[in-house]
């Protein structure tokens, strides 16, 4: 799996968009970018994934740069319940193991 | 049942005792996984199962065993618990481990303390 780099922490005002960056400069062509989050004391939760194109679902949007060396997870209207550690992972489709790095602690402020 | 359930929620166990952590999913997912999460070490895969009747070793399998007799259940057994197995254990499942959609659904976790 390609190494990913994320800022250790970010703050966001409630109701505003939260933009979480991730660098994955060594990502290979068959590796997808996955985003998970973990709210304190809960199990990790899948958010979204993509390969080349931007993706959107009911939780978030994923913007992947054209060279695929970085991506941004966007929570369009952050709420207090979005406070969590967010993990960006690059792995191939056949990978069996999710390996979480340190992630970004997002704190949504009232 | 909706999703993945794990039992017990937490457990304090004397060293040397045998313990089975239970995991059940109702999504008919083929693949299931056991992870442990320790502070500063992130999530580490213990064992996995691609489909009922098959299992495989992950990154940290020593001291643990699993079985997959059916699609829904994937118990994790500690034959003789040691203090280094103190951790939070997460069970997860996905539709298929061989597809590009590695979307894993996690249970709420079991907090295990071995004294």
């Amino acid at each position: 799996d390609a190494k990913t780099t994320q800022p250790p922490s970010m703050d966001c005002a409630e109701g505003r968009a939260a933009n979480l960056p991730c660098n994955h400069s060594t990502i290979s062509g068959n590796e997808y970018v996955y985003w998970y989050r973990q709210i304190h004391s809960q199990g990790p939760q899948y958010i979204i994934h993509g390969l080349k194109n931007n993706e959107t679902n009911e939780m978030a949007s994923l913007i992947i740069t054209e060279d695929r060396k970085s991506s941004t997870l966007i929570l369009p209207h952050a709420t207090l319940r979005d406070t969590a550690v967010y993990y960006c992972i690059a792995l191939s489709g056949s990978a069996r193991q999710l390996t979480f790095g340190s992630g970004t602690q997002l704190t949504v402020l009232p | 049942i909706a999703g993945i359930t794990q039992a017990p929620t937490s457990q304090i166990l004397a060293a040397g005792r045998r313990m089975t952590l239970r995991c059940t999913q109702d999504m008919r997912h083929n693949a299931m996984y056991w992870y442990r999460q320790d502070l500063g070490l992130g999530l580490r895969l213990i064992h996995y199962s691609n489909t009922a009747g098959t299992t495989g070793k992950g990154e940290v399998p020593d001291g643990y065993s699993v079985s997959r007799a059916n699609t829904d259940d994937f118990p994790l057994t500690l034959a003789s618990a040691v203090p280094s197995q103190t951790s939070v254990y997460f069970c997860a499942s996905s539709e298929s481990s061989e597809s590009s959609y590695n979307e894993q659904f996690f249970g709420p976790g079991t907090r295990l303390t071995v004294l």
Side-chain angles (χ1 to χ4, degrees):
Chain A
D1 301 342
K3 178 179 168 57
T4 61
T5 304
Q6 301 176 252
S9 64
M10 294 180 64
D11 292 341
C12 176
E14 187 178 19
R16 303 297 292 269
N19 297 288
L20 293 94
C22 179
N23 286 322
H24 31 78
S25 59
T26 61
I27 194 169
S28 62
N30 68 337
E31 288 182 320
Y32 289 73
V33 179
Y34 284 80
W35 283 83
Y36 279 76
R37 73 180 182 184
Q38 189 169 22
I39 298 169
H40 182 60
S41 297
Q42 297 184 19
Q45 179 187 23
Y46 164 83
I47 301 172
I48 198 167
H49 76 280
L51 182 64
K52 291 187 289 188
N53 300 321
N54 297 338
E55 301 289 343
T56 296
N57 63 19
E58 64 279 4
M59 290 183 67
S61 295
L62 174 60
I63 308 299
I64 302 174
T65 58
E66 191 169 342
D67 63 8
R68 300 208 329 121
K69 293 183 184 300
S70 66
S71 61
T72 301
L73 178 75
I74 301 172
L75 307 179
H77 306 287
T79 70
L80 299 178
R81 288 174 295 184
D82 291 322
T83 292
V85 180
Y86 287 76
Y87 298 98
C88 168
I89 308 164
L91 74 168
S92 67
S94 61
R96 292 189 174 89
Q97 175 170 345
L98 295 178
T99 302
F100 288 4
S102 300
T104 296
Q105 170 67 58
L106 174 69
T107 302
V108 180
L109 304 171
Chain B
I1 298 177
I4 295 185
T5 58
Q6 292 184 237
T9 301
S10 64
Q11 182 74 44
I12 298 174
L13 188 67
R17 298 297 295 270
R18 180 185 180 89
M19 175 74 191
T20 295
L21 307 185
R22 299 185 297 280
C23 175
T24 299
Q25 54 105 356
D26 66 353
M27 297 175 283
R28 308 303 295 174
H29 284 169
N30 286 328
M32 297 188 74
Y33 314 83
W34 273 105
Y35 294 88
R36 59 179 288 174
Q37 188 171 36
D38 303 291
L39 196 62
L41 293 176
L43 209 64
R44 293 183 292 171
L45 183 68
I46 305 171
H47 284 287
Y48 65 90
S49 169
N50 287 339
T51 189
T54 69
T55 62
K57 294 181 179 180
E59 180 184 358
V60 289
D62 294 342
Y64 305 95
S65 64
V66 292
S67 62
R68 188 88 184 276
N70 57 60
T71 297
D72 298 343
D73 301 300
F74 191 42
L76 176 74
T77 297
L78 289 68
S80 179
V82 295
S84 61
Q85 292 178 310
T86 294
S87 187
V88 180
Y89 291 86
F90 290 105
C91 180
S93 71
S94 66
E95 285 189 356
S96 171
S97 66
E98 296 297 334
S99 76
S100 62
Y101 293 93
N102 218 321
E103 176 183 344
Q104 295 187 15
F105 293 83
F106 284 79
T110 293
R111 185 174 298 275
L112 182 66
T113 302
V114 183
L115 301 175

